[in-house]
Amino acid sequence: MNPQALLETRSLTVEIAGKQVCRDLYMSVRPGESWAILGINGVGKTTLLHTLAGLRLPAAGEVLVEAMPLAGMTRRQAAAKIGLLLQTSEDPFPSTLLDTALIGRHPYLGRLEWESARDEAIAKGALAEVGLEGMEQRFAHTLSGGERRLLALATLLTQDPPLCLLDEPSNHLDLHQQIAVLDLLRERARARTAMIMVLHDVNLAVRYCDHVLLLYGGGETIQGETGAVIDEDRLSRLYRHRVVALAGEGRNVYLPG
């Protein structure tokens, strides 16, 4: 057990529909680190992320958060440590952007306790960070897909957990917003948190993540520092299509061959 790790997996095996996502996975994520999970569609990236969040049980092994078994935590305890950005967002009830962002403060409130002025200030600050300043009283269901993604990110920032698990955080965002959001998340990670992101764009992973976990299917994984793991051969096998590297500004750019 690594007492410095925010999240640690020990001999973790995850399965879905009779398929192994990972087998006997040992993984240690420390404060300040940014991880990418890469793999083809259907390999189990989201399933693994949900297992790390405690939403589903592993087939074997365990997940520890700050050296405590995740399986033994209450949902409130886990929510104070782990924030999860789902792949898609829904609006089952009419709600303003401010009210939606304030959901992030619920792990810290007592039963029947209302949000304080400080909670509102945190939520308004998070909305401003993602570019939704001045829209606090607008209803969430009137937003575009990209704006809803920004609102979901603002809710996560309002929660402000030590560990952020993000399923395709750049989904629905234009190029400018992708870079702005990932810049923001990386700076937050460097300052006081850690993040694990499911990504489809390998170049965003290379740009923003210092560690990667590759899911090959059948339980096979490779993990480590991004510069040591990512190369043409591994990516070509990962995506089952030839990938070539081109020299970019300070880093390689990977394109389909």
Side-chain angles (χ1 to χ4, degrees):
M1 186 179 298
N2 183 353
Q4 295 181 333
L6 274 177
L7 179 138
E8 189 173 6
T9 66
R10 297 198 299 183
S11 194
L12 185 70
T13 297
V14 175
E15 298 178 353
I16 184 169
K19 300 188 301 182
Q20 280 194 338
V21 177
C22 63
R23 180 177 59 251
D24 199 29
L25 176 65
Y26 286 83
M27 180 180 178
S28 182
V29 180
R30 297 174 175 82
E33 292 181 348
S34 299
W35 284 69
I37 300 176
L38 301 177
I40 62 171
N41 291 336
V43 78
K45 299 182 296 296
T46 293
T47 298
L48 175 57
L49 201 71
H50 287 182
T51 304
L52 298 179
L55 298 186
R56 66 188 318 276
L57 294 175
E62 64 178 339
V63 178
L64 299 104
V65 178
E66 294 184 343
M68 295 177 56
L70 179 58
M73 291 183 176
T74 66
R75 295 310 306 164
R76 182 179 293 273
Q77 288 173 329
K81 301 292 184 182
I82 302 172
L84 174 64
L85 178 72
L86 297 172
Q87 194 174 116
T88 58
S89 302
E90 297 181 358
D91 307 307
F93 304 105
S95 176
T96 67
L97 272 62
L98 180 58
D99 287 337
T100 301
L102 280 169
I103 293 172
R105 301 308 299 164
H106 287 184
Y108 314 108
L109 301 178
R111 191 173 185 179
L112 302 180
E113 182 181 0
W114 289 95
E115 297 89 350
S116 67
R118 177 177 178 273
D119 293 324
E120 287 201 10
I122 292 172
K124 288 179 180 178
L127 289 168
E129 281 189 284
V130 301
L132 298 177
E133 186 175 12
M135 300 171 62
E136 294 88 352
Q137 298 307 314
R138 184 170 167 181
F139 282 99
H141 71 272
T142 67
L143 299 179
S144 69
E147 289 171 329
R148 289 187 187 203
R149 199 61 177 158
L150 295 175
L151 176 58
L153 285 162
T155 304
L156 181 68
L157 297 180
T158 301
Q159 183 182 348
D160 196 24
L163 177 66
C164 294
L165 307 179
L166 306 112
D167 199 348
E168 299 183 39
S170 58
N171 196 22
H172 298 301
L173 300 181
D174 62 38
L175 180 61
H176 168 74
Q177 289 175 330
Q178 287 181 25
I179 299 305
V181 161
L182 291 174
D183 279 344
L184 171 62
L185 290 171
R186 181 173 61 182
E187 290 309 308
R188 282 232 174 187
R190 285 173 174 172
R192 60 185 182 277
T193 66
M195 63 180 179
I196 304 174
M197 299 189 288
V198 169
L199 292 171
H200 280 295
D201 188 331
V202 65
N203 292 305
L204 290 179
V206 170
R207 178 168 179 160
Y208 287 101
C209 297
D210 43 58
H211 290 74
V212 295
L213 172 65
L214 308 184
L215 302 184
Y216 281 98
E220 182 186 356
T221 61
I222 296 176
Q223 63 169 298
E225 294 185 3
T226 303
V229 170
I230 295 295
D231 61 27
E232 289 180 336
D233 291 338
R234 288 198 179 102
L235 291 178
S236 296
R237 189 162 75 88
L238 183 73
Y239 292 114
R240 303 173 190 178
H241 186 94
R242 189 168 73 92
V243 174
V244 296
L246 301 178
E249 295 183 6
R251 68 180 72 87
N252 284 339
V253 175
Y254 294 93
L255 299 173

